[in-house]
Amino acid sequence: MRTSLRGRRPLRRTLPVAMAAAVALALTGCSGVLDAGTTTTIDGSGTVTTTDALVADAPTGVSGAIDANATWEAGDPSYDPADAVTITLSGTTASADSDAVSVDGSTVTITATGTYVLSGSLDDGSVVVDTTDDGVVRIVLDGATLASSTTAPLQVLDADEVVLVLADGSTNAVTDTSPAVDADSDAPNAAVWSSADLTVAGSGSLTVTSASNDGVTSKDGLVVTDGTLTVTAADDGVRGKDWLVVTGGTLTVDAGGDGLKSDNDSDDTMGYLLVTGGSLDVTAGDDGVDVQTDAILTGGSLTVVAGGGHAGGTDTSKGVSAGAGVAVGGGTLTVDASDDAVNSDGTVVVEDGTLELAAGDDAIHADTALTVSGGTVNVTASYEGLESMVVTVSGGVLDVTSSDDGLNATDTSDTSGTGGGMGGGGMAAEAGVLLEISGGTLTVDAGGDGLDSNGDLLVSGGTTVVHGPTNDGNGALDANGTLTTTGGVLLATGSAGMAETPDASSSQSFVAFTASLAAGTVAHVLDADGTVLASFTTTKQVASVVFSSADVVSGQTYTLATGGSAGADPAPGDASGATEVATATAGVASAGTMGGGMGGGQAPGGQMPGNGERPGRQG
C-alpha cells in the first residue's frame, strides 16, 4: 500500500513579524504561542499587545492534527472462501495444497499474495510471509494457535500489505517465548511482527503473549478495525512505526514497556496515534501511549494506567506522551499515571469528549500551548492541574484538583527549578506567558496557587470558581504580570497572606474581602440593596474572598455575609437570616498581608511547598 503524504506539519515555523499583530489579536479567543523574546502586555480592557516575532506552535485542533499527518488506509478483510488457501497446522508441521505455501519442518512460508486460512496448532514454529508481489496478503486465523521459542511465531518479512483477519466466532493465540531482540535491529522483535502495513480486522479474538519482546509490531503502519485483541508483552504492547490507528474493536494491553507506540522519527507526518472508535484498556510499566508526533482521540474510549498509577508508582511514566501534540475531539480518555497524565512537547487541544485524569505530576502538560474549548475535563488528583506556557480555557466544563497549582502558565523551557517567583509585583513577568479564561465553567481546588501565571492572567468570560490554598505561602490568584478581568464570573477564595486581586484598571470591576470562614460555611456576596450576587460554600478554611462579575460596580460598597443556603457555586442563593462578616469597596486592588503571592508554587529561595519536592519530570 502506498503512503500518501499531505505535506509537512504546519507547526514550528516562524511567522513574519508583519503577522504578529493579527496573531496577537487571536490570543483573545484562541491563544498562540509566543517565543522567549516576545513581550506581552494586557491593558485594562483585555487587549493583548505583543512585540517581536511569534512562533506558530499554536494548537491546530483535531482536524489540523489529522491533516498534518500522513494518510492512513485500512486493508480490506473481505474475501471469497472459494479462492482461499487452507493451511492446516499440525503440531510440529503443517500442510497446504498450494504452490504459494512451503513447509520446512515447523516453518510455514507464504510466497504470494492471496488469502490463506489457518487453523490448528503449531507448537514451536512460525508462519512467515515473504513475497515481492504487489497486492494484499490476507491471513485468516480461524481457530489457530501459534507458538515459538526461537523467533516471532507470525512474521512478515516482505509484502506490500497484510491484513490479519480474525474469523467470526474464532479464538486464536500467538505466543512468543523467544529471547529478547534489539528493537533497533531489522530482526522480528514481536510475537506478531510485520515489515509491511498491517491491518487487524474481523470479529474473532486473538490473544498475543510475548515473554521478552513486543506484542504486535508493524515497521510501517498498523490499523485495528475490529475484533478482540488481548496483548501481554514484556516490552511494548502494540506498535505501529509510521502510525497506529484504532477505529473499532476491543483492545486490552498489558506491557512492561510502553502500551501503545508509534515512533517514526524521520518524517514529521508520521509517528502518530489516531483513535476514532473501539475500546482500549492499557496498562503499562512505562508510558501508556508514546508517540513521536501526535496523539489524536476523536471517538471510542481509551483507559490508561501507567507506572502503577498516581499513588505510589514510579515517577517517570506518563499516561499519554506526544512529541508534537495531543488533540481530543471526542470519546473518553481515562488516565491514571505516576507522572503526567497527558504530556506534549508541543501543544494540547481539547475540543470535545471526556477526560478523567489522575496524575502524580501534571494532569495536562504542554510545553508551548494548552487550549480547552469544549468537552469535560475532570482532574481528580495531580501535583499541578493544567500547565503550559500559554493556557487558554474558552469552553467546556473543567474540575481540577491539585496539591500545588491548579492552572499554571509558565515558561516550561526554564529547567532551573526556580520558575515562578513573587506575584503582585515581586518578580518580573516571564515573556510570552499567558493564562486566559474566556469561556466555559472552571472549578479549581488547589493546595497551592489556584490560578497562577508567571506572565499575565486574563479573565474575559466563563464562570470560574477557585477554592485556593489554606497556607499563606500561596494565593487563589497569582500573576507576575497583569491580572485583568474584562468579563465572566470569577470567585476566588483562599488564604490571605499572598492573596491578589485583579488590577484596578480592569474594565470589569471586582470586590475583595478579608474574613475568616471555616470549612463548610455558606457565604454570600450582596450589593448595597441586599441583592445576592453570588453564593458559595467553603470547602476549606478561607481568609480571602475575591469576586468579579458584570454586576459589580467600581466604587460601590458590598457585603460578605454567612448563613442561609447556597446551591451550586457561585449561583445566587438565599441569604435570609445571614450575618454580615465584612464589607469592601469594589475596584480597590490589593496584595496579601505578606506582600504578594508566590508564582509557580515556589517558596523563598526556590523551595517547593508541602513535602519540598516536585515530582520528577523527564521529557
Side-chain angles (χ1 to χ4, degrees):
M1 180 177 64
R2 301 296 182 185
T3 299
S4 172
L5 304 183
R6 290 177 172 167
R8 306 297 286 179
R9 176 177 307 279
L11 298 178
R12 304 186 184 92
R13 65 175 185 263
T14 302
L15 294 180
V17 175
M19 295 179 64
V23 176
L25 290 175
L27 284 170
T28 305
C30 181
S31 295
V33 180
L34 317 181
D35 75 6
T38 300
T39 300
T40 306
T41 58
I42 302 176
D43 64 19
S45 65
T47 301
V48 180
T49 303
T50 64
T51 59
D52 288 338
L54 298 175
V55 176
D57 266 347
T60 57
V62 173
S63 62
I66 293 174
D67 289 343
N69 288 297
T71 303
W72 63 273
E73 183 178 347
D76 182 6
S78 62
Y79 65 96
D80 185 346
D83 297 330
V85 175
T86 298
I87 300 176
T88 302
L89 308 176
S90 305
T92 59
T93 189
S95 60
D97 186 14
S98 171
D99 293 339
V101 180
S102 64
V103 179
D104 182 6
S106 59
T107 300
V108 180
T109 303
I110 298 170
T111 58
T113 57
T115 300
Y116 302 86
V117 180
L118 280 63
S119 61
S121 296
L122 192 62
D123 296 339
D124 192 358
S126 60
V127 174
V128 179
V129 176
D130 192 358
T131 178
T132 58
D133 292 351
D134 289 335
V136 178
V137 177
R138 193 173 291 104
I139 306 294
V140 181
L141 300 183
D142 190 0
T145 300
L146 310 179
S148 177
S149 63
T150 58
T151 188
L154 179 56
Q155 53 185 279
V156 179
L157 299 181
D158 193 9
D160 184 31
E161 178 186 359
V162 175
V163 179
L164 183 61
V165 181
L166 311 180
D168 294 352
S170 68
T171 300
N172 308 279
V174 177
T175 302
D176 176 13
T177 58
S178 64
V181 175
D182 186 351
D184 294 328
S185 73
D186 292 330
N189 66 331
V192 177
W193 185 90
S194 177
S195 65
D197 288 325
L198 175 65
T199 297
V200 180
S203 60
S205 68
L206 172 61
T207 298
V208 177
T209 305
S210 181
S212 303
N213 296 292
D214 295 349
V216 179
T217 287
S218 170
K219 299 283 281 188
D220 284 344
L222 174 58
V223 179
V224 179
T225 65
D226 200 357
T228 299
L229 182 60
T230 303
V231 178
T232 302
D235 197 3
D236 302 330
V238 179
R239 173 179 173 245
K241 181 177 180 180
D242 292 347
W243 56 75
L244 175 56
V245 176
V246 180
T247 65
T250 300
L251 180 57
T252 303
V253 177
D254 188 344
D258 298 326
L260 307 177
K261 192 178 188 76
S262 187
D263 57 351
N264 187 324
D265 59 2
S266 63
D267 186 332
D268 63 6
T269 68
M270 297 185 180
Y272 68 91
L273 168 72
L274 172 63
V275 178
T276 66
S279 175
L280 297 85
D281 192 332
V282 178
T283 301
D286 291 332
D287 297 338
V289 173
D290 182 19
V291 295
Q292 184 70 26
T293 56
D294 296 318
I296 308 165
L297 177 68
T298 65
S301 64
L302 172 58
T303 300
V304 174
V305 177
H310 75 282
T314 63
D315 64 358
T316 60
S317 297
K318 298 173 176 61
V320 177
S321 178
V326 177
V328 181
T332 300
L333 175 63
T334 303
V335 178
D336 187 0
S338 61
D339 193 359
D340 295 346
V342 176
N343 177 281
S344 171
D345 293 344
T347 64
V348 173
V349 178
V350 179
E351 295 178 349
D352 203 348
T354 300
L355 285 75
E356 297 283 343
L357 309 176
D361 198 357
D362 299 341
I364 305 179
H365 173 95
D367 279 0
T368 56
L370 192 169
T371 298
V372 179
S373 60
T376 299
V377 178
N378 185 28
V379 178
T380 58
S382 67
Y383 180 75
E384 293 195 338
L386 278 59
E387 181 180 72
S388 186
M389 189 169 179
V390 175
V391 179
T392 303
V393 177
S394 60
V397 177
L398 299 86
D399 193 332
V400 178
T401 299
S402 66
S403 59
D404 193 41
D405 300 341
L407 274 65
N408 183 30
T410 184
D411 182 356
T412 59
S413 65
D414 179 9
T415 58
S416 65
T418 59
M422 299 291 295
M427 286 185 69
E430 293 179 347
V433 172
L434 174 66
L435 169 56
E436 179 182 1
I437 301 169
S438 60
T441 300
L442 170 64
T443 303
V444 176
D445 187 338
D449 299 326
L451 305 180
D452 180 16
S453 176
N454 295 340
D456 296 323
L457 197 165
L458 171 63
V459 178
S460 59
T463 299
T464 302
V465 176
V466 177
H467 302 289
T470 57
N471 70 81
D472 281 333
N474 293 281
L477 305 174
D478 181 12
N480 287 6
T482 60
L483 201 170
T484 308
T485 49
T486 66
V489 176
L490 171 65
L491 173 66
T493 66
S495 58
M498 294 289 183
E500 289 186 48
T501 67
D503 299 340
S505 60
S506 295
S507 61
Q508 177 173 289
S509 195
F510 61 90
V511 61
F513 303 97
T514 300
S516 179
L517 306 178
T521 300
V522 174
H524 312 271
V525 177
L526 300 92
D527 66 13
D529 296 328
T531 301
V532 178
L533 303 185
S535 300
F536 59 97
T537 302
T538 59
T539 61
K540 59 186 85 172
Q541 181 70 34
V542 166
S544 170
V545 176
V546 176
F547 177 70
S548 175
S549 80
D551 295 325
V552 178
V553 179
S554 182
Q556 299 294 309
T557 300
Y558 294 84
T559 299
L560 180 68
T562 59
S565 61
D569 301 344
D574 185 357
S576 300
T579 301
E580 176 184 313
V581 294
T583 59
T585 301
V588 178
S590 64
T593 58
M594 294 176 63
M598 300 296 300
Q602 304 282 341
Q607 298 299 311
M608 294 295 174
N611 64 8
E613 296 292 336
R614 179 184 178 91
R617 177 180 303 287
Q618 299 187 12

